[in-house]
Amino acid sequence: SITTKEVPKPSITLSDKVNITYNTTNINGASNYYFKSTISGTSSINVSSCTLNDNTFTCNNDSTTSITKDTWYKSPSTNVSISYSTSGTGKVEARTYDKSNNYNENSKEFSVYKITFNKGDADKIGGVASNVDKLCLAAKNGSCNITSPSIEKAGYTAVGWNTDSSASTSTWNVGVSKSINSDGTYYPITKKIEVYTVTYDANGGNNAPPAQTKQHDVALTLSSKKPTRSGYNFKGWGTSKYSS
């Protein structure tokens, strides 16, 4: 009698992509690798589109990295990854075939979440002058992490991010990784930098230092330049010309 060992299942893991690894252990001779996704995406390598009838694949001679949802593809490699640019809940199926058309399959459901960081009235966010979309991938209905971008606005300091564009406080600080389990839109929250002018009066003397500017909540080191006045020694600075 002739015995056939079972074709090993492909493995499917999640990172920022869906990663498929086809196991060829115990397969003698040629083997073929197929997959499909219920969400359109992009393949890490060139693959060929296929149709499936009675567990037999017929594949085209095309070569593409664009993955159309619910379409089977043949991979020339035992390793292929799929990345996504739209959010949603999806499923990837993968099959390994041997030369006798025996096969084994595996599948995994997953969720893709998208957070839109709206530029709002900031000059730049994440170094660009446009909205920033960030996606992360998790097991179905699970969670994954996204790091918020920087905020730049002339004359303002960054407070953080909030789903309320009119808020004055942050619910997500800049440059912080946060666990995500749904789509959302966040707006930049900034605070105007208060600037003061510190002027120096030689109080009857000469050579007063030039004026300095001071930002609110930022310590200022006073000028080390000393004024001169005949018959007087310089003791320091005060806010009253009659201070002693």
Side-chain angles (χ1 to χ4, degrees):
S1 63
I2 299 175
T3 59
T4 301
K5 294 182 179 180
E6 182 181 10
V7 175
K9 279 187 177 183
S11 67
I12 305 174
T13 59
L14 305 178
S15 58
D16 58 333
K17 305 175 179 66
V18 173
N19 308 296
I20 306 171
T21 301
Y22 299 93
N23 188 348
T24 59
T25 304
N26 299 328
I27 296 179
N28 295 319
S31 52
N32 294 303
Y33 321 114
Y34 305 93
F35 69 87
K36 73 173 179 178
S37 170
T38 60
I39 302 179
S40 297
T42 302
S43 169
S44 59
I45 57 175
N46 286 320
V47 294
S48 302
S49 59
C50 307
T51 56
L52 175 62
N53 291 295
D54 296 327
N55 290 325
T56 298
F57 285 97
T58 301
C59 298
N60 300 318
N61 292 323
D62 56 347
S63 181
T64 183
T65 58
S66 296
I67 304 305
T68 302
K69 67 177 184 178
D70 299 325
T71 299
W72 281 101
Y73 292 89
K74 181 178 181 180
S75 171
S77 170
T78 55
N79 292 282
V80 60
S81 297
I82 310 168
S83 58
Y84 298 93
S85 58
T86 57
S87 60
T89 298
K91 180 180 179 180
V92 162
E93 297 178 61
R95 291 187 181 186
T96 303
Y97 278 72
D98 69 7
K99 63 182 180 181
S100 300
N101 220 37
N102 301 307
Y103 74 93
N104 207 339
E105 62 184 344
N106 199 359
S107 65
K108 184 174 287 290
E109 293 182 294
F110 60 93
S111 293
V112 181
Y113 305 119
K114 181 170 77 171
I115 298 297
T116 297
F117 293 95
N118 192 296
K119 175 179 168 292
D121 60 359
D123 297 330
K124 290 183 179 181
I125 59 172
V128 297
S130 60
N131 294 350
V132 172
D133 291 332
K134 290 196 174 187
L135 290 93
C136 67
L137 194 149
K140 184 181 178 181
N141 298 326
S143 61
C144 50
N145 293 324
I146 286 178
T147 299
S148 60
S150 60
I151 302 171
E152 300 174 46
K153 185 178 180 181
Y156 289 76
T157 184
V159 175
W161 296 93
N162 200 309
T163 54
D164 180 359
S165 61
S166 61
S168 59
T169 58
S170 165
T171 59
W172 191 347
N173 291 337
V174 169
V176 172
S177 178
K178 185 175 182 178
S179 180
I180 298 299
N181 58 14
S182 63
D183 296 347
T185 299
Y186 284 78
Y187 300 88
I189 309 302
T190 57
K191 181 180 179 181
K192 187 173 179 60
I193 299 173
E194 297 180 59
V195 179
Y196 310 99
T197 300
V198 177
T199 58
Y200 297 93
D201 188 330
N203 200 10
N206 300 291
N207 301 318
Q212 292 177 284
T213 57
K214 180 190 181 303
Q215 291 185 12
H216 183 68
D217 290 334
V218 178
L220 173 69
T221 300
L222 295 178
S223 173
S224 60
K225 182 179 179 181
K226 296 179 180 180
T228 58
R229 184 179 179 185
S230 179
Y232 289 81
N233 292 322
F234 177 72
K235 293 180 65 176
W237 297 103
T239 56
S240 170
K241 67 188 302 180
Y242 302 108
S243 297
S244 59

